Amino acid sequence: MSKIPVSVFIVAQDEEHHIGRVLDSCQEFDEIIVVDSGSTDQTKSIAQSKGAKVIHHDWPGYAKQKQYAKDLCRHEWVLNLDADEELTPNFIDEVKQFINSEHDYVALKCRRNDLFIGKFFSKLTRLPTNTRLFKKSCVKYLIHNLVHEGPDILGKIKHTSAAFNHYGYADIAQLTDKYNKYSSLKAKEKFLKGRKASALKLILIYPLEFIRNYLVYRYCFSGLRGFIFSHLAAYYALSKEAKLYELNKSS
């Protein structure tokens, strides 16, 4: 059976606990590229054993690393994944149908299904979206962003309910570690752009963000896990604004 004419690219470092799972889910695609920034565990050997082309490139930042990996891809249609993710059969079927259909879309925005405290969230939850499949020539990464780096899509985007699985928020410690790291980077990014913290936003952002996640995005249907996740997401929003305030005051 012929492979799907799509290049998958993944940037990774020290992901031996995850990399095998994501690569196993990508075997129907014609090209798999892993750009490694200096793993000291078995990430590279596992990736090579799964048929991926592994290339070393020192870490220049999220956006620049993804731009570098994208430019290595042979096919016009490319699929970006993180090492802690996994494609589902439904998602792969959606990709096949999308790239084989006549349309003027240049990208596909899909859903992300997060594992948290041992389970995926309820099907009634409004899952977050990510643009992962796109035409290589119609995309550039926002290289000045320190986190949440893009991509910037130059064309029409189709939305799909098909979801991939994400294991990077599996437990509270993992999630809070990531939120702490990302909030620091986001605050620094805003500070470098001359943004100022808002007193009103500092006061209101936590309750409003909790309500948005718990009720609007319907994490309430996932019981106590959804309650905890909504509070952590609200704290992440507050942390970004609080750290920007701290940078403003210390400059």
Side-chain angles (χ1 to χ4, degrees):
M1 185 175 67
S2 61
K3 299 271 189 174
I4 303 168
V6 169
S7 295
V8 178
F9 67 97
I10 299 166
V11 301
Q13 182 178 342
D14 295 329
E15 292 282 3
E16 64 180 6
H17 298 298
H18 292 295
I19 196 73
R21 178 177 56 230
V22 68
L23 294 177
D24 282 341
S25 74
C26 294
Q27 293 302 308
E28 291 188 53
F29 294 92
D30 185 55
E31 183 180 44
I32 305 173
I33 294 173
V34 173
V35 174
D36 186 275
S37 52
S39 292
T40 57
D41 62 5
Q42 298 302 309
T43 297
K44 291 183 285 186
S45 59
I46 294 171
Q48 288 167 341
S49 74
K50 302 291 184 180
K53 184 189 301 181
V54 181
I55 296 161
H56 174 81
H57 191 253
D58 289 340
W59 184 251
Y62 286 102
K64 290 181 180 179
Q65 191 77 327
K66 288 193 176 184
Q67 183 69 37
Y68 175 81
K70 177 181 76 75
D71 291 342
L72 295 172
C73 294
R74 183 172 72 248
H75 291 289
E76 174 64 357
W77 283 109
V78 296
L79 175 62
N80 173 230
L81 295 172
D82 291 339
D84 57 9
E85 296 170 348
E86 177 189 37
L87 298 181
T88 62
N90 183 46
F91 183 89
I92 294 171
D93 288 342
E94 183 73 13
V95 170
K96 289 179 186 176
Q97 182 179 345
F98 181 70
I99 66 170
N100 289 323
S101 301
E102 290 189 13
H103 54 70
D104 57 355
Y105 294 108
V106 302
L108 184 67
K109 178 170 282 193
C110 52
R111 298 284 177 179
R112 189 188 75 233
N113 198 13
D114 297 317
L115 184 81
F116 184 61
I117 313 183
K119 292 173 65 178
F120 291 106
F121 288 112
S122 166
K123 292 181 179 179
L124 297 174
T125 298
R126 180 182 168 187
L127 300 178
T129 59
N130 295 100
T131 305
R132 295 304 186 86
L133 178 74
F134 41 80
K135 285 188 173 181
K136 183 173 65 171
S137 61
C138 298
V139 165
K140 60 180 180 179
Y141 280 93
L142 305 174
I143 61 173
H144 298 297
N145 286 6
L146 300 181
V147 68
H148 306 313
E149 62 283 345
D152 187 22
I153 311 293
L154 307 175
K156 291 176 61 178
I157 303 172
K158 181 182 179 182
H159 293 249
T160 176
S161 60
F164 61 89
N165 293 332
H166 176 230
Y167 297 85
Y169 296 166
D171 57 54
I172 293 171
Q174 248 185 339
L175 182 57
T176 52
D177 284 348
K178 287 191 175 185
Y179 279 171
N180 186 47
K181 177 182 178 181
Y182 293 161
S183 60
S184 295
L185 290 171
K186 196 63 181 177
K188 182 179 179 181
E189 178 187 306
K190 289 182 177 181
F191 177 74
L192 292 174
K193 292 178 179 179
R195 298 279 295 276
K196 300 292 183 182
S198 161
L200 184 62
K201 191 172 182 180
L202 272 167
I203 294 168
L204 295 178
I205 194 167
Y206 189 102
L208 291 178
E209 191 67 16
F210 175 80
I211 290 168
R212 183 173 74 154
N213 282 277
Y214 193 63
L215 298 178
V216 179
Y217 291 171
R218 302 188 294 275
Y219 282 92
C220 56
F221 289 108
S222 292
L224 285 176
R225 290 184 309 113
F227 179 78
I228 294 167
F229 184 86
S230 298
H231 273 292
L232 293 175
Y235 179 71
Y236 172 51
L238 174 63
S239 295
K240 289 185 285 186
E241 196 67 17
K243 289 176 180 180
L244 176 59
Y245 174 82
E246 183 179 45
L247 288 170
N248 291 154
K249 289 298 182 182
S250 60
S251 63

PDB file of all heavy atoms in Angstrom, residues 90-113:
ATOM      1  N   ASN A  90      -8.999   8.111  13.091  1.00  0.00           N
ATOM      2  CA  ASN A  90      -9.942   9.086  12.569  1.00  0.00           C
ATOM      3  C   ASN A  90      -9.219  10.316  12.020  1.00  0.00           C
ATOM      4  O   ASN A  90      -9.581  10.851  10.960  1.00  0.00           O
ATOM      5  CB  ASN A  90     -10.918   9.505  13.676  1.00  0.00           C
ATOM      6  CG  ASN A  90     -11.974  10.471  13.192  1.00  0.00           C
ATOM      7  OD1 ASN A  90     -12.575  10.284  12.137  1.00  0.00           O
ATOM      8  ND2 ASN A  90     -12.218  11.524  13.957  1.00  0.00           N
ATOM      9  N   PHE A  91      -8.189  10.753  12.713  1.00  0.00           N
ATOM     10  CA  PHE A  91      -7.423  11.906  12.253  1.00  0.00           C
ATOM     11  C   PHE A  91      -6.696  11.580  10.945  1.00  0.00           C
ATOM     12  O   PHE A  91      -6.672  12.385  10.011  1.00  0.00           O
ATOM     13  CB  PHE A  91      -6.423  12.328  13.326  1.00  0.00           C
ATOM     14  CG  PHE A  91      -5.628  13.552  12.962  1.00  0.00           C
ATOM     15  CD1 PHE A  91      -6.100  14.811  13.269  1.00  0.00           C
ATOM     16  CD2 PHE A  91      -4.419  13.439  12.305  1.00  0.00           C
ATOM     17  CE1 PHE A  91      -5.381  15.948  12.925  1.00  0.00           C
ATOM     18  CE2 PHE A  91      -3.687  14.553  11.954  1.00  0.00           C
ATOM     19  CZ  PHE A  91      -4.168  15.816  12.267  1.00  0.00           C
ATOM     20  N   ILE A  92      -6.094  10.405  10.877  1.00  0.00           N
ATOM     21  CA  ILE A  92      -5.375  10.008   9.661  1.00  0.00           C
ATOM     22  C   ILE A  92      -6.333   9.926   8.478  1.00  0.00           C
ATOM     23  O   ILE A  92      -6.009  10.381   7.367  1.00  0.00           O
ATOM     24  CB  ILE A  92      -4.651   8.663   9.886  1.00  0.00           C
ATOM     25  CG1 ILE A  92      -3.539   8.840  10.936  1.00  0.00           C
ATOM     26  CG2 ILE A  92      -4.064   8.142   8.573  1.00  0.00           C
ATOM     27  CD1 ILE A  92      -2.903   7.545  11.381  1.00  0.00           C
ATOM     28  N   ASP A  93      -7.526   9.370   8.680  1.00  0.00           N
ATOM     29  CA  ASP A  93      -8.528   9.323   7.613  1.00  0.00           C
ATOM     30  C   ASP A  93      -8.914  10.723   7.152  1.00  0.00           C
ATOM     31  O   ASP A  93      -9.111  10.969   5.953  1.00  0.00           O
ATOM     32  CB  ASP A  93      -9.772   8.570   8.088  1.00  0.00           C
ATOM     33  CG  ASP A  93      -9.547   7.077   8.227  1.00  0.00           C
ATOM     34  OD1 ASP A  93      -8.570   6.568   7.646  1.00  0.00           O
ATOM     35  OD2 ASP A  93     -10.339   6.424   8.930  1.00  0.00           O
ATOM     36  N   GLU A  94      -9.022  11.643   8.088  1.00  0.00           N
ATOM     37  CA  GLU A  94      -9.357  13.027   7.753  1.00  0.00           C
ATOM     38  C   GLU A  94      -8.253  13.665   6.900  1.00  0.00           C
ATOM     39  O   GLU A  94      -8.526  14.401   5.946  1.00  0.00           O
ATOM     40  CB  GLU A  94      -9.565  13.836   9.035  1.00  0.00           C
ATOM     41  CG  GLU A  94      -9.991  15.266   8.818  1.00  0.00           C
ATOM     42  CD  GLU A  94     -11.437  15.422   8.364  1.00  0.00           C
ATOM     43  OE1 GLU A  94     -12.185  14.422   8.444  1.00  0.00           O
ATOM     44  OE2 GLU A  94     -11.809  16.523   7.930  1.00  0.00           O
ATOM     45  N   VAL A  95      -7.000  13.383   7.234  1.00  0.00           N
ATOM     46  CA  VAL A  95      -5.870  13.903   6.459  1.00  0.00           C
ATOM     47  C   VAL A  95      -5.906  13.365   5.037  1.00  0.00           C
ATOM     48  O   VAL A  95      -5.737  14.114   4.062  1.00  0.00           O
ATOM     49  CB  VAL A  95      -4.529  13.552   7.136  1.00  0.00           C
ATOM     50  CG1 VAL A  95      -3.358  13.874   6.206  1.00  0.00           C
ATOM     51  CG2 VAL A  95      -4.380  14.310   8.448  1.00  0.00           C
ATOM     52  N   LYS A  96      -6.139  12.070   4.898  1.00  0.00           N
ATOM     53  CA  LYS A  96      -6.208  11.463   3.563  1.00  0.00           C
ATOM     54  C   LYS A  96      -7.284  12.132   2.718  1.00  0.00           C
ATOM     55  O   LYS A  96      -7.045  12.502   1.560  1.00  0.00           O
ATOM     56  CB  LYS A  96      -6.523   9.959   3.681  1.00  0.00           C
ATOM     57  CG  LYS A  96      -5.410   9.094   4.219  1.00  0.00           C
ATOM     58  CD  LYS A  96      -5.909   7.653   4.297  1.00  0.00           C
ATOM     59  CE  LYS A  96      -4.929   6.720   4.944  1.00  0.00           C
ATOM     60  NZ  LYS A  96      -5.471   5.350   5.085  1.00  0.00           N
ATOM     61  N   GLN A  97      -8.470  12.273   3.279  1.00  0.00           N
ATOM     62  CA  GLN A  97      -9.579  12.874   2.555  1.00  0.00           C
ATOM     63  C   GLN A  97      -9.277  14.331   2.198  1.00  0.00           C
ATOM     64  O   GLN A  97      -9.573  14.787   1.088  1.00  0.00           O
ATOM     65  CB  GLN A  97     -10.852  12.789   3.398  1.00  0.00           C
ATOM     66  CG  GLN A  97     -12.091  13.355   2.714  1.00  0.00           C
ATOM     67  CD  GLN A  97     -13.337  13.217   3.577  1.00  0.00           C
ATOM     68  OE1 GLN A  97     -13.356  12.480   4.546  1.00  0.00           O
ATOM     69  NE2 GLN A  97     -14.383  13.924   3.210  1.00  0.00           N
ATOM     70  N   PHE A  98      -8.655  15.043   3.121  1.00  0.00           N
ATOM     71  CA  PHE A  98      -8.378  16.464   2.926  1.00  0.00           C
ATOM     72  C   PHE A  98      -7.389  16.700   1.788  1.00  0.00           C
ATOM     73  O   PHE A  98      -7.616  17.538   0.908  1.00  0.00           O
ATOM     74  CB  PHE A  98      -7.841  17.057   4.223  1.00  0.00           C
ATOM     75  CG  PHE A  98      -7.539  18.526   4.149  1.00  0.00           C
ATOM     76  CD1 PHE A  98      -8.557  19.465   4.057  1.00  0.00           C
ATOM     77  CD2 PHE A  98      -6.224  18.975   4.174  1.00  0.00           C
ATOM     78  CE1 PHE A  98      -8.271  20.829   3.990  1.00  0.00           C
ATOM     79  CE2 PHE A  98      -5.931  20.329   4.117  1.00  0.00           C
ATOM     80  CZ  PHE A  98      -6.957  21.259   4.021  1.00  0.00           C
ATOM     81  N   ILE A  99      -6.281  15.966   1.785  1.00  0.00           N
ATOM     82  CA  ILE A  99      -5.258  16.234   0.764  1.00  0.00           C
ATOM     83  C   ILE A  99      -5.639  15.662  -0.604  1.00  0.00           C
ATOM     84  O   ILE A  99      -5.086  16.070  -1.624  1.00  0.00           O
ATOM     85  CB  ILE A  99      -3.874  15.705   1.188  1.00  0.00           C
ATOM     86  CG1 ILE A  99      -3.870  14.174   1.277  1.00  0.00           C
ATOM     87  CG2 ILE A  99      -3.428  16.338   2.499  1.00  0.00           C
ATOM     88  CD1 ILE A  99      -2.481  13.586   1.460  1.00  0.00           C
ATOM     89  N   ASN A 100      -6.611  14.737  -0.629  1.00  0.00           N
ATOM     90  CA  ASN A 100      -7.034  14.148  -1.908  1.00  0.00           C
ATOM     91  C   ASN A 100      -8.255  14.843  -2.498  1.00  0.00           C
ATOM     92  O   ASN A 100      -8.702  14.472  -3.587  1.00  0.00           O
ATOM     93  CB  ASN A 100      -7.326  12.652  -1.726  1.00  0.00           C
ATOM     94  CG  ASN A 100      -6.061  11.837  -1.498  1.00  0.00           C
ATOM     95  OD1 ASN A 100      -5.029  12.117  -2.079  1.00  0.00           O
ATOM     96  ND2 ASN A 100      -6.157  10.836  -0.639  1.00  0.00           N
ATOM     97  N   SER A 101      -8.786  15.842  -1.786  1.00  0.00           N
ATOM     98  CA  SER A 101      -9.972  16.551  -2.269  1.00  0.00           C
ATOM     99  C   SER A 101      -9.554  17.827  -3.003  1.00  0.00           C
ATOM    100  O   SER A 101      -8.512  18.425  -2.698  1.00  0.00           O
ATOM    101  CB  SER A 101     -10.888  16.925  -1.100  1.00  0.00           C
ATOM    102  OG  SER A 101     -11.284  15.760  -0.396  1.00  0.00           O
ATOM    103  N   GLU A 102     -10.388  18.223  -3.945  1.00  0.00           N
ATOM    104  CA  GLU A 102     -10.148  19.485  -4.643  1.00  0.00           C
ATOM    105  C   GLU A 102     -10.726  20.626  -3.814  1.00  0.00           C
ATOM    106  O   GLU A 102     -11.924  20.657  -3.536  1.00  0.00           O
ATOM    107  CB  GLU A 102     -10.784  19.457  -6.032  1.00  0.00           C
ATOM    108  CG  GLU A 102     -10.100  18.515  -7.000  1.00  0.00           C
ATOM    109  CD  GLU A 102     -10.625  18.670  -8.418  1.00  0.00           C
ATOM    110  OE1 GLU A 102     -11.324  19.675  -8.679  1.00  0.00           O
ATOM    111  OE2 GLU A 102     -10.337  17.799  -9.246  1.00  0.00           O
ATOM    112  N   HIS A 103      -9.877  21.551  -3.414  1.00  0.00           N
ATOM    113  CA  HIS A 103     -10.309  22.698  -2.613  1.00  0.00           C
ATOM    114  C   HIS A 103      -9.207  23.743  -2.659  1.00  0.00           C
ATOM    115  O   HIS A 103      -8.107  23.502  -3.177  1.00  0.00           O
ATOM    116  CB  HIS A 103     -10.583  22.273  -1.167  1.00  0.00           C
ATOM    117  CG  HIS A 103      -9.450  21.549  -0.507  1.00  0.00           C
ATOM    118  ND1 HIS A 103      -8.273  22.175  -0.147  1.00  0.00           N
ATOM    119  CD2 HIS A 103      -9.295  20.249  -0.165  1.00  0.00           C
ATOM    120  CE1 HIS A 103      -7.463  21.299   0.406  1.00  0.00           C
ATOM    121  NE2 HIS A 103      -8.049  20.111   0.404  1.00  0.00           N
ATOM    122  N   ASP A 104      -9.499  24.915  -2.117  1.00  0.00           N
ATOM    123  CA  ASP A 104      -8.499  25.974  -2.085  1.00  0.00           C
ATOM    124  C   ASP A 104      -7.987  26.250  -0.673  1.00  0.00           C
ATOM    125  O   ASP A 104      -7.410  27.309  -0.392  1.00  0.00           O
ATOM    126  CB  ASP A 104      -9.041  27.263  -2.709  1.00  0.00           C
ATOM    127  CG  ASP A 104     -10.316  27.755  -2.027  1.00  0.00           C
ATOM    128  OD1 ASP A 104     -10.826  27.038  -1.141  1.00  0.00           O
ATOM    129  OD2 ASP A 104     -10.795  28.848  -2.390  1.00  0.00           O
ATOM    130  N   TYR A 105      -8.175  25.292   0.236  1.00  0.00           N
ATOM    131  CA  TYR A 105      -7.629  25.427   1.587  1.00  0.00           C
ATOM    132  C   TYR A 105      -6.134  25.117   1.567  1.00  0.00           C
ATOM    133  O   TYR A 105      -5.661  24.278   0.783  1.00  0.00           O
ATOM    134  CB  TYR A 105      -8.315  24.465   2.547  1.00  0.00           C
ATOM    135  CG  TYR A 105      -9.774  24.763   2.791  1.00  0.00           C
ATOM    136  CD1 TYR A 105     -10.772  23.946   2.253  1.00  0.00           C
ATOM    137  CD2 TYR A 105     -10.163  25.853   3.568  1.00  0.00           C
ATOM    138  CE1 TYR A 105     -12.110  24.209   2.481  1.00  0.00           C
ATOM    139  CE2 TYR A 105     -11.509  26.131   3.794  1.00  0.00           C
ATOM    140  CZ  TYR A 105     -12.472  25.305   3.247  1.00  0.00           C
ATOM    141  OH  TYR A 105     -13.795  25.568   3.468  1.00  0.00           O
ATOM    142  N   VAL A 106      -5.394  25.779   2.471  1.00  0.00           N
ATOM    143  CA  VAL A 106      -3.958  25.525   2.564  1.00  0.00           C
ATOM    144  C   VAL A 106      -3.574  24.914   3.909  1.00  0.00           C
ATOM    145  O   VAL A 106      -2.404  24.601   4.131  1.00  0.00           O
ATOM    146  CB  VAL A 106      -3.146  26.819   2.333  1.00  0.00           C
ATOM    147  CG1 VAL A 106      -3.465  27.427   0.978  1.00  0.00           C
ATOM    148  CG2 VAL A 106      -3.395  27.838   3.450  1.00  0.00           C
ATOM    149  N   ALA A 107      -4.564  24.729   4.795  1.00  0.00           N
ATOM    150  CA  ALA A 107      -4.259  24.184   6.122  1.00  0.00           C
ATOM    151  C   ALA A 107      -5.501  23.555   6.728  1.00  0.00           C
ATOM    152  O   ALA A 107      -6.634  23.875   6.349  1.00  0.00           O
ATOM    153  CB  ALA A 107      -3.721  25.275   7.039  1.00  0.00           C
ATOM    154  N   LEU A 108      -5.267  22.671   7.687  1.00  0.00           N
ATOM    155  CA  LEU A 108      -6.342  21.990   8.395  1.00  0.00           C
ATOM    156  C   LEU A 108      -6.164  22.214   9.885  1.00  0.00           C
ATOM    157  O   LEU A 108      -5.128  21.860  10.466  1.00  0.00           O
ATOM    158  CB  LEU A 108      -6.309  20.488   8.090  1.00  0.00           C
ATOM    159  CG  LEU A 108      -7.430  19.631   8.688  1.00  0.00           C
ATOM    160  CD1 LEU A 108      -8.772  19.994   8.046  1.00  0.00           C
ATOM    161  CD2 LEU A 108      -7.126  18.143   8.482  1.00  0.00           C
ATOM    162  N   LYS A 109      -7.178  22.829  10.513  1.00  0.00           N
ATOM    163  CA  LYS A 109      -7.154  23.057  11.962  1.00  0.00           C
ATOM    164  C   LYS A 109      -7.956  21.952  12.639  1.00  0.00           C
ATOM    165  O   LYS A 109      -9.106  21.716  12.301  1.00  0.00           O
ATOM    166  CB  LYS A 109      -7.726  24.428  12.311  1.00  0.00           C
ATOM    167  CG  LYS A 109      -7.769  24.712  13.810  1.00  0.00           C
ATOM    168  CD  LYS A 109      -8.100  26.162  14.114  1.00  0.00           C
ATOM    169  CE  LYS A 109      -6.891  27.044  13.924  1.00  0.00           C
ATOM    170  NZ  LYS A 109      -7.089  28.400  14.502  1.00  0.00           N
ATOM    171  N   CYS A 110      -7.328  21.273  13.582  1.00  0.00           N
ATOM    172  CA  CYS A 110      -7.936  20.095  14.199  1.00  0.00           C
ATOM    173  C   CYS A 110      -8.059  20.283  15.707  1.00  0.00           C
ATOM    174  O   CYS A 110      -7.683  21.314  16.265  1.00  0.00           O
ATOM    175  CB  CYS A 110      -7.100  18.861  13.881  1.00  0.00           C
ATOM    176  SG  CYS A 110      -5.360  19.085  14.286  1.00  0.00           S
ATOM    177  N   ARG A 111      -8.583  19.281  16.368  1.00  0.00           N
ATOM    178  CA  ARG A 111      -8.774  19.302  17.813  1.00  0.00           C
ATOM    179  C   ARG A 111      -7.651  18.524  18.517  1.00  0.00           C
ATOM    180  O   ARG A 111      -7.076  17.602  17.937  1.00  0.00           O
ATOM    181  CB  ARG A 111     -10.120  18.688  18.185  1.00  0.00           C
ATOM    182  CG  ARG A 111     -11.319  19.440  17.624  1.00  0.00           C
ATOM    183  CD  ARG A 111     -11.594  20.709  18.383  1.00  0.00           C
ATOM    184  NE  ARG A 111     -12.688  21.488  17.817  1.00  0.00           N
ATOM    185  CZ  ARG A 111     -13.135  22.630  18.321  1.00  0.00           C
ATOM    186  NH1 ARG A 111     -12.565  23.131  19.409  1.00  0.00           N
ATOM    187  NH2 ARG A 111     -14.116  23.284  17.757  1.00  0.00           N
ATOM    188  N   ARG A 112      -7.374  18.923  19.749  1.00  0.00           N
ATOM    189  CA  ARG A 112      -6.367  18.239  20.571  1.00  0.00           C
ATOM    190  C   ARG A 112      -7.041  17.647  21.800  1.00  0.00           C
ATOM    191  O   ARG A 112      -7.702  18.349  22.554  1.00  0.00           O
ATOM    192  CB  ARG A 112      -5.284  19.231  21.004  1.00  0.00           C
ATOM    193  CG  ARG A 112      -4.083  18.554  21.680  1.00  0.00           C
ATOM    194  CD  ARG A 112      -3.123  19.572  22.262  1.00  0.00           C
ATOM    195  NE  ARG A 112      -3.636  20.154  23.488  1.00  0.00           N
ATOM    196  CZ  ARG A 112      -3.738  21.458  23.702  1.00  0.00           C
ATOM    197  NH1 ARG A 112      -3.401  22.326  22.771  1.00  0.00           N
ATOM    198  NH2 ARG A 112      -4.209  21.906  24.872  1.00  0.00           N
ATOM    199  N   ASN A 113      -6.866  16.352  22.001  1.00  0.00           N
ATOM    200  CA  ASN A 113      -7.500  15.637  23.104  1.00  0.00           C
ATOM    201  C   ASN A 113      -6.454  15.363  24.185  1.00  0.00           C
ATOM    202  O   ASN A 113      -5.556  14.533  24.008  1.00  0.00           O
ATOM    203  CB  ASN A 113      -8.101  14.329  22.584  1.00  0.00           C
ATOM    204  CG  ASN A 113      -9.124  13.749  23.536  1.00  0.00           C
ATOM    205  OD1 ASN A 113      -9.568  14.412  24.460  1.00  0.00           O
ATOM    206  ND2 ASN A 113      -9.496  12.504  23.307  1.00  0.00           N
TER     207      ASN A 113
END
